[in-house]
Amino acid sequence: MIGFFDRLARPLLRAFDPENAHSLTIKALKFAPRSRPPAGDARLQVRAFGLNFPNPVGIAPGFDKHAEVPDALLGLGFGFVEIGTVTPLPQPGNPRPRIFRLEPDQAVINRLGFNSHGAAAALSRLAARAGSGGIVGINIGANKDSSDRAADYVRLIERFAPVASYVTVNISSPNTPGLRELQHASALDDLLARIVETRDRIAPRAGPTPVLLKIAPDLSLGDLDDIVGVARARKIDGMIVGNTTISRPPSLRDQATAKQAGGLSGRPLYPLSTRMLAETYVRVEDAFRLIGVGGIDSGAAALGKIRAGADLVQLYSALVYRGISLVGEIKTALSGALDRGEAKKLSDLVGADAAAMTAENWPA
Ligand SMILES: Cc1cc2nc3c(=O)[nH]c(=O)nc-3n(C[C@H](O)[C@H](O)[C@H](O)COP(=O)(O)O)c2cc1C
């Protein structure tokens, strides 16, 4: 299945408009014969947020926004799937076109703006697979025209906690005006207080649901100090670093497409997001675990995220350029690092380079 997809379907799909290609991929995954997740290298198992991950390579949110194919993705070998972003009510997102490929840069710009089938649709799909196993988290966001964004998050946690392995609070999408202002210290403190109260209140009924916070890579280090301080004080379960960037590295070759508004992801995001990950790791001081995401397109890049401070990694854009076989390639590379004696277990490598990275010049 993976070989078929990468050799035949993917080159064909690249000829389509990116959003149509994505819809076709989701359809193909829906109807593909269900495969069991491959038995993996037991040394790659990760325990984080109270959950046992079979391997540390997850698919980032944005790929399966509406919870249509989580089991097909687990069957392809991902250690976990994060669906979403899901908003309370269905909403169309921004007008098309709203996804752009920067082929020479192996990058993507998107300004989807939380197009969502809404909570009820995602909830019924997740409920239908309840008991199927595998780690399926949900990424939640506020509706664009919401009058009380914090209330949207609270309500979504209440609804999804019984069917999701974890919940990610997304306040870092650049495509919903004003959303990232929730990252400011006092707004964040209010939001996390309500979220943690909700998590703890429903735990006796829904079971423990780890709540993670996904941040932008574009924060100043002062903002990051505040965010980590609030996250630690409020005792959230983990952070994800990070979302797409609104910056445009000067090295981008496709300068024409780079002018499109939206968040940039893929290879050029790697230096910035990995530096932000290391900066987060040194501030968190082991209070909770981190997921590293942004520009991972090889085993070495995944290992770099782990050495910068991530227990787990996620990827999306590189699947467009490298195909699904990249997932297996990354896991093989991680096993290889252990075979070579770089460490006895992956967790020994987490954060190994973080302090040194934070002393380097800021990535251009
Ligand atoms: C087309 C597209 C849609 C995305 N949608 C979401 C989303 O709904 N919620 C979210 O938290 N991140 C979303 N992201 C961001 C990814 O989850 C990820 O943080 C980012 O793309 C960096 O990883 P990558 O370089 O491996 O793609 C999206 C990314 C892309 C390319």
Side-chain angles (χ1 to χ4, degrees):
M1 175 65 192
I2 294 175
F4 163 78
F5 220 85
D6 284 356
R7 273 198 303 280
L8 295 172
R10 201 168 48 87
L12 190 72
L13 285 171
R14 291 264 290 283
F16 285 91
D17 156 81
E19 195 161 347
N20 291 338
H22 183 256
S23 304
L24 281 171
T25 306
I26 296 283
K27 278 208 181 81
L29 287 172
K30 256 190 203 166
F31 296 111
R34 217 19 65 80
S35 50
R36 290 169 132 269
D41 180 345
R43 296 171 304 170
L44 299 187
Q45 291 170 6
V46 175
R47 174 129 184 113
F49 323 124
L51 301 168
N52 293 316
F53 294 76
N55 72 70
V57 188
I59 183 149
F63 184 87
D64 186 9
K65 277 189 184 264
H66 317 298
E68 294 173 283
V69 290
D71 292 297
L73 292 167
L74 291 170
L76 291 172
F78 285 103
F80 62 112
V81 175
E82 187 169 318
I83 63 149
T85 294
V86 172
T87 56
L89 299 173
Q91 62 177 30
N94 290 321
R96 292 172 71 157
R98 51 193 183 171
I99 306 180
F100 306 88
R101 293 190 202 104
L102 289 73
E103 297 260 352
D105 302 297
Q106 306 221 342
V108 174
I109 290 175
N110 92 81
R111 54 166 178 270
L112 288 165
F114 287 171
N115 55 313
S116 177
H117 292 180
L123 197 59
S124 71
R125 288 176 191 137
L126 289 183
R129 70 165 300 282
S132 304
I135 295 186
V136 179
I138 179 157
N139 182 300
I140 57 172
N143 276 117
K144 185 181 175 188
D145 56 3
S146 167
S147 56
D148 184 352
R149 287 184 165 158
D152 279 11
Y153 290 99
V154 164
R155 189 81 194 96
L156 287 169
I157 291 172
E158 288 171 343
R159 294 182 75 181
F160 281 100
V163 294
S165 306
Y166 67 87
V167 177
T168 299
V169 175
N170 180 5
I171 49 169
S172 49
S173 166
N175 300 313
T176 296
L179 189 81
R180 287 176 305 157
E181 282 155 25
L182 289 172
Q183 294 177 123
H184 295 152
S186 77
L188 184 64
D189 192 47
D190 289 347
L191 177 68
L192 292 189
R194 290 179 69 179
I195 280 172
V196 165
E197 184 277 323
T198 309
R199 175 195 70 186
D200 296 345
R201 175 168 42 80
I202 60 179
R205 171 170 57 84
T209 307
V211 175
L212 317 182
L213 183 69
K214 183 168 179 180
I215 63 170
D218 301 318
L219 300 161
S220 71
L221 293 181
D223 289 340
L224 187 63
D225 287 340
D226 291 346
I227 290 172
V228 172
V230 170
R232 289 180 63 170
R234 290 290 175 194
K235 296 197 166 28
I236 64 156
D237 299 284
M239 278 173 59
I240 305 184
V241 188
N243 220 309
T244 56
T245 178
I246 54 168
S247 70
R248 297 289 182 265
S251 56
L252 289 177
R253 285 192 271 169
D254 187 348
Q255 283 293 333
T257 313
K259 291 193 179 66
Q260 291 290 345
L264 175 77
S265 56
R267 183 177 282 175
L269 175 57
Y270 187 81
L272 175 65
S273 59
T274 308
R275 176 62 178 266
M276 286 302 285
L277 173 65
E279 298 283 354
T280 307
Y281 179 83
V282 297
R283 287 164 172 77
V284 167
E285 296 176 314
D286 251 354
F288 46 70
R289 314 265 140 230
L290 303 175
I291 301 181
V293 51
I296 296 175
D297 62 357
S298 66
L303 202 55
K305 289 281 188 200
I306 292 171
R307 298 186 72 98
D311 273 79
L312 299 157
V313 298
Q314 291 176 319
L315 54 104
Y316 179 175
S317 301
L319 295 175
V320 175
Y321 297 103
R322 302 288 321 281
I324 293 163
S325 56
L326 175 61
V327 184
E329 226 177 281
I330 291 175
K331 289 189 287 184
T332 303
L334 297 180
S335 297
L338 299 178
D339 292 341
R340 284 193 305 277
E342 283 183 35
K344 280 211 174 61
K345 46 191 190 330
L346 271 186
S347 57
D348 294 342
L349 296 174
V350 174
D353 293 346
M357 277 183 186
T358 59
E360 287 168 11
N361 289 336
W362 197 257

